[in-house]
Amino acid sequence: SAAQSDDVNVAPPQWVFESAKDGSLPAGAILPIGIFSSPEMQLSTEQHTRATDLATWSDSQLPETRVSSYRETKQLMSSVQAAPAFKVLIYASPTTMSYFAALGVDYQQNLAVWQDFLTRHDIIFEVVKDVDVLLYHRSPGVLLLPSAVALNDAERNALLLYRKRGGAILATWLSGVRGALGEWTGFDFMTQSLNTGVVGDTRQDKDDVYITPYGDSPVTHQLAAGLRIWTARTEGWYPLRLAGVNSAAAIMDWSRSVHAGKAHSVISYNERVLTDGQASRVVVLGYPGRTWLAADPLAMDAIAYDALTWLARR
């Protein structure tokens, strides 16, 4: 690391990949190659997602609408922001930062997207890198994990205890799928700590580039059901197919095709009631924050704001 003395010879980690100058990720950098091709990773989605409901809807029931105008959207967001203020704690995992640095990718971009969003909407936030903050301090608002793909044991334990204390978490993309040295650890952390499973991504589905929100979801309620939110495809940063307690949106093609045996959920949310009567909420956005750089910014803002206000019980 940069903090180490120059006269100390440190062997390069075994997980160093070829540098990705364009921001894309080398094959196998985050998810092992072919991980979703095995039969055991295939999933019958009926119990995990509401995407199958779309199969019975006609085109007239799925209006081709967008956030009507910037002015109207800003007015709507302003009325929502009238709720009491809350604070967001952004955890910038040193383990994840080191891992992305080894890949030649600037992890700061994932943080900057959220910092910009929170600043624009006058939401108080703090960026922390010390795991002790998570272990001993419960934020009065929401803890944000922006694509924290690599976590060491201390970070995993602190995050688990944070939720057990009733903390709320907003996680984006993959969390804790790699360990302290970048070794593959699987999806257990997401399943156990975030109550969300990962059953696939869109690597093989080049047409599945539209986030399609459901109606009446607490984390997408500002957007019309069936709205198409286009997202860019960047090598290695593909949106996930999730299996969670509740689903708020699907990842689909332009025609909103539903395929049996294919998980469509891309946003998961849940609330866990704890033994002491407290309740902890979690939202997992199955796409990385850098998706905002090319997607409809107003629609992406609406999802993020709805998720944060639900987590903060506003």
Side-chain angles (χ1 to χ4, degrees):
S1 68
Q4 292 174 315
S5 174
D6 292 336
D7 59 357
V8 177
N9 294 322
V10 180
Q14 297 301 309
W15 36 269
V16 172
F17 294 83
E18 183 179 354
S19 176
K21 296 180 181 179
D22 62 351
S24 62
L25 295 172
I30 306 297
L31 296 173
I33 297 175
I35 186 173
F36 296 125
S37 61
S38 58
E40 58 268 22
M41 288 304 299
Q42 303 305 314
L43 179 76
S44 173
T45 63
E46 292 184 1
Q47 60 182 343
H48 295 295
T49 177
R50 295 169 54 195
T52 51
D53 294 344
L54 297 176
T56 60
W57 292 0
S58 66
D59 287 341
S60 62
Q61 293 171 305
L62 290 170
E64 181 57 25
T65 58
R66 292 176 55 85
V67 179
S68 57
S69 72
Y70 181 78
R71 177 178 298 176
E72 292 176 6
T73 300
K74 289 298 290 183
Q75 291 175 344
L76 175 61
M77 298 293 276
S78 297
S79 65
V80 174
Q81 290 178 172
F86 59 93
K87 182 178 180 179
V88 173
L89 199 66
I90 304 177
Y91 182 58
S93 164
T95 307
T96 295
M97 296 184 75
S98 296
Y99 187 66
F100 275 114
L103 299 175
V105 176
D106 184 9
Y107 179 65
Q108 182 60 38
Q109 288 189 23
N110 294 277
L111 303 177
V113 167
W114 283 99
Q115 291 172 291
D116 177 66
F117 166 80
L118 295 169
T119 299
R120 283 187 285 107
H121 294 288
D122 299 320
I123 299 175
I124 301 171
F125 70 91
E126 178 183 359
V127 179
V128 298
K129 300 179 181 179
D130 188 347
V131 69
D132 286 345
V133 175
L134 306 183
L135 195 58
Y136 300 111
H137 172 67
R138 177 182 170 187
S139 168
V142 180
L143 175 64
L144 178 60
L145 294 179
S147 302
V149 300
L151 298 171
N152 61 30
D153 289 342
E155 291 172 311
R156 294 166 190 265
N157 181 61
L159 289 166
L160 181 60
L161 292 177
Y162 178 88
R163 191 171 190 197
K164 286 184 176 180
R165 296 197 303 271
I169 297 177
L170 174 58
T172 65
W173 204 45
L174 293 162
S175 300
V177 296
R178 292 188 175 270
L181 298 178
E183 72 279 12
W184 173 251
T185 58
F187 303 114
D188 289 348
F189 174 79
M190 294 186 67
T191 301
Q192 296 169 7
S193 298
L194 305 178
N195 291 112
T196 300
V198 179
V199 296
D201 62 13
T202 63
R203 175 182 295 272
Q204 302 300 325
D205 304 291
K206 61 182 180 62
D207 293 328
D208 287 0
V209 294
Y210 296 93
I211 297 174
T212 307
Y214 302 132
D216 298 328
S217 160
V219 297
T220 55
H221 65 81
Q222 291 191 61
L223 301 175
L227 174 70
R228 300 183 181 99
I229 306 172
W230 180 85
T231 60
R233 283 175 62 83
T234 304
E235 181 67 29
W237 295 98
Y238 300 111
L240 304 174
R241 300 187 184 280
L242 303 176
V245 179
N246 304 291
S247 179
I251 187 72
M252 312 180 84
D253 60 16
W254 186 89
S255 61
R256 308 184 184 94
S257 302
V258 176
H259 301 278
K262 177 192 285 188
H264 293 277
S265 177
V266 72
I267 299 178
S268 168
Y269 65 99
N270 67 82
E271 182 170 37
R272 175 189 292 175
V273 179
L274 309 174
T275 55
D276 61 358
Q278 295 188 85
S280 170
R281 290 181 172 181
V282 162
V283 173
V284 177
L285 304 180
Y287 49 86
R290 62 176 57 213
T291 302
W292 274 346
L293 301 178
D296 183 335
L298 295 181
M300 300 299 272
D301 268 25
I303 293 174
Y305 200 91
D306 285 351
L308 285 173
T309 52
W310 181 73
L311 288 168
R313 302 180 185 276
R314 296 296 189 264

